[in-house]
Structures are given as structure tokens and as C-alpha cells.
């Protein structure tokens, strides 16, 4: 199986039920990358309004010191056919 990371450890807030941070590990169990999540957005859908990620900061843990910041703006709920999420439909 081809996977990007062998294992991901994910910290979730019990009270808010939101992901706080994640550690991405190699096959040997070493931390490869770490991510932190900020929640400044609100996603509105027929089911209600929910906190949504506004920024994800990913840090290289191998010593390179690189940092990637992904900013999410104006999230919106959309409906997609379930076939879109079937791995057998992905072109390689």
C-alpha cells in the first residue's frame, strides 16, 4: 500500500470536539511533520453552524525548519455524489 505517512496522531478537544494538532510519523515512528489548526471560520449548512478551520500550520520536524501555512476563506457546504469518493474512480 502506498501511503503518505505511516501513522498520524491526532489531538482533539473534548469540549469543542475539534482537532487541535496532528503529528505525522514515519514507518520508524519518528515525527516527520506536525500541524496545528485554528478555527476562525464558521461553516453554515442545513444542519446548523459549525466552527471550521481558518488556518493550518504545518512544520517540518526533520530539521529543515520549513513551515507551510494554509488559509481557508469563506467555506461553504456542497453536495457531491458518493461515487466521487470511491477510490476505484480515481484515475492514476
Amino acid at each position: 500500500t502506498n501511503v503518505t505517512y505511516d501513522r498520524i496522531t491526532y489531538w482533539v478537544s473534548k469540549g469543542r470536539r475539534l482537532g487541535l494538532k496532528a503529528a505525522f510519523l514515519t514507518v520508524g515512528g519518528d515525527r516527520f511533520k506536525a500541524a496545528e489548526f485554528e478555527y476562525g471560520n464558521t461553516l453554515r449548512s442545513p444542519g446548523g453552524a459549525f466552527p471550521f478551520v481558518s488556518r493550518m500550520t504545518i512544520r517540518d520536524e526533520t530539521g529543515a525548519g520549513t513551515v507551510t501555512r494554509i488559509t481557508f476563506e469563506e467555506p461553504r457546504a456542497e453536495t457531491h455524489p458518493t461515487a466521487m469518493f470511491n477510490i476505484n474512480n480515481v484515475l492514476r
Side-chain angles (χ1 to χ4, degrees), residues 32-48:
F32 182 70
K33 295 197 184 261
E36 294 180 359
F37 308 98
E38 297 174 39
Y39 293 86
N41 286 324
T42 300
L43 179 63
R44 298 186 195 301
S45 72

Side-chain angles (χ1 to χ4, degrees), residues 83-92:
M84 179 184 255
F85 302 99
N86 184 329
I87 192 68
N88 296 320
N89 293 333
V90 176
L91 299 175
R92 296 185 190 255

Side-chain angles (χ1 to χ4, degrees), residues 19-35:
L20 301 175
K21 62 182 181 176
F24 301 87
L25 300 122
T26 65
V27 173
D30 298 318
R31 285 176 66 126
F32 182 70
K33 295 197 184 261

